[in-house]
Amino acid sequence: MPSRTVTISNRLGLHARPAMMLAECATSFSSNISIRRADGGDDVDAKSIMQLLMLAGTCGTKLKITAEGRDAEEALETLDSLVASGFDDE
Amino acid sequence: MKLRDLVVEKAIVTNLKATKRDDAIAELLDALIEAKAVPGSLRDAFLKSAINRERRGSTGFGHGVAVPHVKTPDMMDFRIAVGNSEEGIDFKSMDKQPVHSIFLLISPESRLEEHIDAMGAIFANLGKDQFRRFLRQATSPEDVLTLIEEADAGQTTG
């Protein structure tokens, strides 16, 4: 399955609003998308804000995103850009 | 991070009188002030901040729960008030369902990483069907505390 590792770059980390943006973005793809902390822990559903908030990702936290489905590559590319952009936070 | 350390026992309201979002936030904030966990002088600023936050995007993330929050430079410690509403409150939730359980989180602005941890700890529990069901059924602050203590100890599943 295609995957890639991204680093949370905004100062405030993966708080509620970025989590919402990420979930909304993930939901726009048909692929199943899961995310886990690169330093361990469970996979969570990238389309669920609640589950994304469970990751407790702070600035600098590395996340491994895995996608499975027809638009998997495109989903990874888009999510990667979103996280790298810092969610236009602050 | 243990939720029990953040939840203010005297600010657990198992039967909220409020039926509207802003009133519910105010009721929980008043419970924190009554419990002397938040200075009364900050009430209006916190209320405004929490409501503005909801207007930017609902913290009703679905499944009947909401986590309104305030980040403040005026406090050094985290505080959580917990409220239950039997009839349900319209939080403009993403799944459009009424909210039955609310965690109001007050976070010191200077402790960013811990704010993320606190949200993580809250959702590690609220993300579970069983926790949400038991929380909603809780009829006393003691019930809620027991549930949270069990969750902190990793005893609840599902």
Side-chain angles (χ1 to χ4, degrees), chain B residues 7-49:
Chain B
V7 172
V8 177
E9 179 168 2
K10 287 181 181 159
I12 299 173
V13 186
T14 48
N15 195 359
L16 285 168
K17 291 181 194 73
T19 55
K20 294 194 166 65
R21 182 192 69 190
D22 297 359
D23 297 341
I25 294 172
E27 193 174 341
L28 288 173
L29 192 53
D30 287 337
L32 284 170
I33 291 167
E34 186 107 334
K36 304 200 186 311
V38 167
S41 57
L42 298 174
R43 181 187 189 274
D44 293 349
F46 282 10
L47 184 58
K48 194 172 160 197
S49 170

Side-chain angles (χ1 to χ4, degrees), chain A residues 11-12 16 20 49-50 53 56, chain B residues 53 62 65 94 112 116 120 123:
Chain A
R11 188 174 68 89
L12 299 177
M20 187 169 78
I49 298 167
M50 280 202 208
L53 288 169
Chain B
R53 170 64 188 80
V65 297
M94 291 164 196
L112 282 175
I116 299 288
F123 283 102

Side-chain angles (χ1 to χ4, degrees), chain B residues 27-120:
Chain B
E27 193 174 341
L28 288 173
L29 192 53
D30 287 337
L32 284 170
I33 291 167
E34 186 107 334
K36 304 200 186 311
V38 167
S41 57
L42 298 174
R43 181 187 189 274
D44 293 349
F46 282 10
L47 184 58
K48 194 172 160 197
S49 170
I51 291 169
N52 282 340
R53 170 64 188 80
E54 291 301 320
R55 286 184 183 147
R56 289 204 305 276
S58 175
T59 65
F61 300 124
H63 299 288
V65 297
V67 185
H69 51 273
V70 174
K71 288 179 192 163
T72 173
D74 297 319
M75 282 182 51
M76 297 306 290
D77 292 308
F78 287 84
R79 306 288 192 205
I80 294 175
V82 181
N84 268 354
S85 163
E86 198 171 334
E87 57 182 283
I89 295 167
D90 180 7
F91 251 78
K92 298 183 171 38
S93 292
M94 291 164 196
D95 61 0
K96 304 197 168 44
Q97 296 302 306
V99 162
H100 292 281
S101 298
I102 302 169
F103 276 65
L104 172 66
L105 170 66
I106 312 290
S107 295
E109 204 173 68
S110 57
R111 297 168 68 178
L112 282 175
E113 298 207 348
E114 287 164 281
H115 170 74
I116 299 288
D117 281 347
M119 290 291 265

Side-chain angles (χ1 to χ4, degrees), chain A residues 4 6 8-9 11 14 18 21 25 27 30-31 33 39 44 46 53 56 60 64-65 71 75 80-81 87-89:
Chain A
R4 68 173 79 181
V6 301
I8 296 175
S9 58
R11 188 174 68 89
L14 196 58
M21 292 169 76
C25 180
T27 304
S30 66
S31 294
I33 306 169
D39 58 8
V44 305
L53 288 169
K64 185 179 180 192
I65 312 179
D71 51 10
D80 186 350
S81 308
F87 305 98
D88 295 324
D89 210 12

